[in-house]
Amino acid sequence: MKAVIMCGGTGSRLRPLTENKPKPMIRLMNRPVLEIILESVIEAGIRDIYLSLGYMANDIIEFCETKKFNADIHYCEEAKPLGTAGGVRNCIKSSDEDILILSGDNIFDFDINKIADSHYAADSDFTVVGTNVEDPREYGVIVRDDDGSIRSFVEKPSWEEAFSNLVNTGMYVMRGKLLEL
């Protein structure tokens, strides 16, 4: 499995913290969030990691080169923002391996290997990792069919539209063959 970590956003909602550093480099417990994410991905056994970069890309590259993680880290810069799907495709043109996709600013405590096992057990082409939250109004609420398939998302719903507490975490696993689409 390969991993793509989305690190290109400007972090406008985190200003002034992101005026002089990219969002993935914001510190949590005295460590950059990206460091915590990379260590989790590497701990799961993934050694082929792509960083989708935009805003202040050189700061992220310099950090990773200095830290010398036990993985092959590839830097994929976007001339203009491409969104999640475009960012993944910018990093990996084709792959026989499945791809874990993560946001470069989300701390998680999910077991990546269990997520991958579930993805494979379901023989899924694309898996969206969801979680239940108390207040779903700041997230994309997942609308599922009876069989668990995702029908749609309701982005940042009002209380009236928030019919579920199951939200999108921004973590996905996809079959590499989907890149050809």
Side-chain angles (χ1 to χ4, degrees):
M1 181 175 289
K2 300 174 187 262
V4 175
I5 303 174
M6 308 305 294
C7 299
T10 61
S12 58
R13 290 179 295 199
L14 292 175
R15 294 207 189 279
L17 296 174
T18 54
E19 286 177 1
N20 298 311
K21 69 175 64 177
K23 191 167 45 167
M25 297 306 295
I26 298 296
R27 298 178 84 74
L28 178 67
M29 298 180 345
N30 207 28
R31 297 171 57 204
V33 168
L34 181 59
E35 179 179 3
I36 297 167
I37 294 169
L38 281 166
E39 286 176 358
S40 295
V41 170
I42 292 166
E43 185 178 302
I46 300 171
R47 298 287 187 275
D48 199 7
I49 302 171
Y50 296 76
L51 302 182
S52 179
L53 303 170
Y55 180 67
M56 301 183 81
N58 288 335
D59 289 7
I60 293 173
I61 294 169
E62 183 180 321
F63 167 76
C64 291
E65 294 295 314
T66 301
K67 188 74 178 167
K68 299 190 185 314
F69 291 96
N70 184 24
D72 292 325
I73 298 180
H74 312 273
Y75 308 105
C76 311
E77 294 188 55
E78 298 177 5
K80 62 179 182 168
L82 300 172
T84 302
V88 171
R89 182 80 157 99
N90 185 52
C91 288
I92 305 173
K93 305 300 183 230
S94 67
S95 178
D96 293 333
E97 294 180 66
D98 286 1
I99 302 164
L100 172 70
I101 304 162
L102 303 160
S103 295
D105 60 351
N106 287 352
I107 296 294
F108 57 90
D109 64 355
F110 302 116
D111 182 325
I112 292 172
N113 290 315
K114 283 185 180 178
I115 292 167
D117 291 346
S118 176
H119 171 76
Y120 296 130
D123 195 29
S124 180
D125 285 332
F126 195 90
T127 298
V128 176
V129 179
T131 193
N132 285 300
V133 296
E134 192 172 311
D135 182 356
R137 293 177 297 166
E138 292 297 317
Y139 303 95
V141 174
I142 298 172
V143 181
R144 296 189 301 176
D145 287 331
D146 291 338
D147 68 357
S149 297
I150 295 174
R151 187 171 3 127
S152 63
F153 295 94
V154 178
E155 287 297 326
K156 297 185 174 78
S158 66
W159 274 120
E160 294 77 31
E161 298 170 309
F163 48 84
S164 169
N165 287 25
L166 182 64
V167 300
N168 181 2
T169 64
M171 183 183 293
Y172 315 97
V173 181
M174 67 175 273
R175 297 250 188 241
K177 68 181 182 182
L178 294 180
L179 291 169
E180 297 169 17
L181 302 175

